[in-house]
Amino acid sequence: MTDTSSISEKDLKLKVNELRTQITHDERELRSLFNELRLHRTNMTELKEKRDALNAQVKEMVTKARDLKEKRDAINTKISELKNVKNARISASQQISDEITKLKAERDALNQVSRGTVDMISKAYAAELDTFLNADVPLQHEIDVFGRLLQLEERLKAAMKADEVHRKIQETYDAAVSQHAGSGENIGSNIKELAEISQQYHVEMIDLYKKVDEMRKDADLCHAQIKEKFGITEPLRAKIDPLKLRISQLRDELNGYLEKLNDIQLIKDEKKQQEQRVVAKEKLEKTGKMSLQDLKLLMENGDLEL
């Protein structure tokens, strides 16, 4: 508390004006700080809302993108399984094809030996055998017939074996056709259809992740701007409390000076009243007259009773 006992009235008034000027200046500065903070706070609130909204959308879109990825991967797994089945069937078909090719080669080799059908060779063999058994032919002719019989027997065996191999070829082919009828086409069609769906999921997922990247950039920009705002507002906030404290201290000091001025004014008013009281008494004593103001003054001080 400032000691005002030795300060003159003039100096007191000067000090009061000085303090009031300083308080007015500080209050103006304080209002300016609050207005600037309010402006930044409004912008910061908008930035936070925008950032949080973007992050919420990012979270939702990432969840959806992961769901699409799971669906795509599940379909790709199914495609891989179907391809394995298809490849296994192709391998089995190739094995059958190789077997049929081998049997055809064997049949063709037998046909080269037989050089005719079983029926044709059988008839020729029967005719030659009849000649050999029943005809009366020269010995040399009989020897020739016996030689042809041996050849025909070898050819007949080859023809019969060729027919047997041919039946095996047909059975193998029929079994393969029956086993895989339509299956290859169905698998291929299923793979194509699933691949189209997988690609659709993949494209949707990629599009979502592109949007997520853009939104994350926007959200990061908002966050950077918020941090920038904090960097601006923190020094402003740091000025407020000391300024408020200084204004409070200045007011306390001002009140001390105002109280002293008030005390001086009371003393002056009392002195003036006493002077007016003396004048009123003297006027009453000399003239016996007085104004209403003089009457009120003398009665308040007990100098006159009705």
Side-chain angles (χ1 to χ4, degrees):
M1 187 69 179
T2 304
D3 183 10
T4 61
S5 60
S6 60
I7 302 177
S8 67
E9 182 180 4
K10 181 181 177 180
D11 289 339
L12 285 171
K13 288 181 178 180
L14 289 173
K15 191 63 178 177
V16 164
N17 289 335
E18 179 185 337
L19 289 171
R20 282 175 172 166
T21 300
Q22 184 63 47
I23 289 171
T24 300
H25 175 273
D26 288 352
E27 286 179 336
R28 189 181 300 114
E29 183 179 353
L30 186 61
R31 283 195 299 272
S32 177
L33 288 172
F34 276 122
N35 288 335
E36 191 171 357
L37 276 175
R38 191 178 301 110
L39 176 63
H40 287 300
R41 189 182 299 114
T42 299
N43 293 339
M44 196 180 299
T45 300
E46 293 174 355
L47 287 170
K48 284 181 178 179
E49 289 175 353
K50 183 179 179 181
R51 180 200 62 188
D52 294 344
L54 286 169
N55 285 334
Q57 291 182 59
V58 164
K59 184 177 180 180
E60 181 180 346
M61 293 176 75
V62 166
T63 299
K64 186 175 181 181
R66 286 173 178 168
D67 181 59
L68 289 170
K69 182 178 183 297
E70 289 177 1
K71 290 180 179 179
R72 182 203 65 181
D73 292 346
I75 289 177
N76 286 345
T77 299
K78 182 64 177 178
I79 290 174
S80 179
E81 292 172 353
L82 289 174
K83 283 184 177 180
N84 289 337
V85 172
K86 182 180 179 181
N87 291 336
R89 291 183 178 180
I90 290 174
S91 177
S93 296
Q94 186 61 47
Q95 290 179 359
I96 292 173
S97 177
D98 292 344
E99 183 179 355
I100 289 175
T101 299
K102 182 180 178 181
L103 289 171
K104 282 182 177 180
E106 182 181 355
R107 180 197 63 189
D108 293 344
L110 290 169
N111 285 335
Q112 287 181 355
V113 174
S114 67
R115 300 192 306 281
T117 66
V118 172
D119 182 62
M120 182 187 72
I121 297 172
S122 294
K123 288 179 179 179
Y125 186 85
E128 292 290 348
L129 182 61
D130 181 66
T131 299
F132 182 77
L133 294 175
N134 300 316
D136 185 12
V137 293
L139 177 61
Q140 185 59 47
H141 185 69
E142 185 176 343
I143 292 172
D144 292 339
V145 170
F146 182 74
R148 287 197 294 275
L149 282 172
L150 292 176
Q151 292 177 356
L152 287 170
E153 182 180 6
E154 183 180 350
R155 288 174 61 193
L156 181 60
K157 288 179 180 179
M160 293 176 66
K161 181 64 175 176
D163 285 352
E164 181 182 344
V165 172
H166 182 74
R167 283 193 299 273
K168 188 174 182 180
I169 290 172
Q170 191 62 47
E171 289 172 359
T172 302
Y173 179 79
D174 291 344
V177 170
S178 175
Q179 181 178 357
H180 300 297
S183 59
E185 295 180 2
N186 290 338
I187 290 178
S189 176
N190 288 340
I191 290 174
K192 182 180 179 181
E193 181 179 348
L194 290 173
E196 290 174 354
I197 296 173
S198 173
Q199 181 63 18
Q200 180 181 349
Y201 285 144
H202 181 75
V203 170
E204 290 180 16
M205 180 193 71
I206 294 299
D207 288 342
L208 281 174
Y209 275 123
K210 287 180 180 178
K211 292 178 181 178
V212 163
D213 287 340
E214 291 300 320
M215 287 185 175
R216 277 178 174 160
K217 289 179 182 178
D218 291 342
D220 289 344
L221 177 60
C222 289
H223 187 69
Q225 291 174 337
I226 291 169
K227 289 178 68 177
E228 183 180 352
K229 292 287 183 184
F230 270 118
I232 295 172
T233 58
E234 282 307 305
L236 297 177
R237 293 177 188 277
K239 293 179 180 179
I240 289 175
D241 286 342
L243 191 57
K244 288 168 70 175
L245 177 60
R246 188 169 71 184
I247 290 172
S248 177
Q249 290 172 343
L250 289 173
R251 287 188 180 281
D252 289 341
E253 187 176 357
L254 175 62
N255 288 335
Y257 290 123
L258 288 175
E259 287 177 3
K260 179 60 177 177
L261 281 174
N262 187 55
D263 290 343
I264 292 173
Q265 187 62 43
L266 288 174
I267 293 171
K268 289 171 68 176
D269 290 345
E270 185 177 352
K271 181 179 179 183
K272 183 178 180 180
Q273 189 178 46
Q274 292 300 323
E275 291 174 351
Q276 290 174 344
R277 175 186 172 198
V278 170
V279 172
K281 285 175 68 177
E282 290 177 351
K283 182 180 180 182
L284 179 61
E285 291 173 353
K286 290 179 179 180
T287 65
K289 297 179 182 180
M290 58 182 163
S291 65
L292 290 176
Q293 183 66 30
D294 293 340
L295 176 62
K296 179 182 178 184
L297 180 61
L298 291 176
M299 288 182 65
E300 286 178 351
N301 288 276
D303 295 321
L304 183 64
E305 295 181 3
L306 294 178

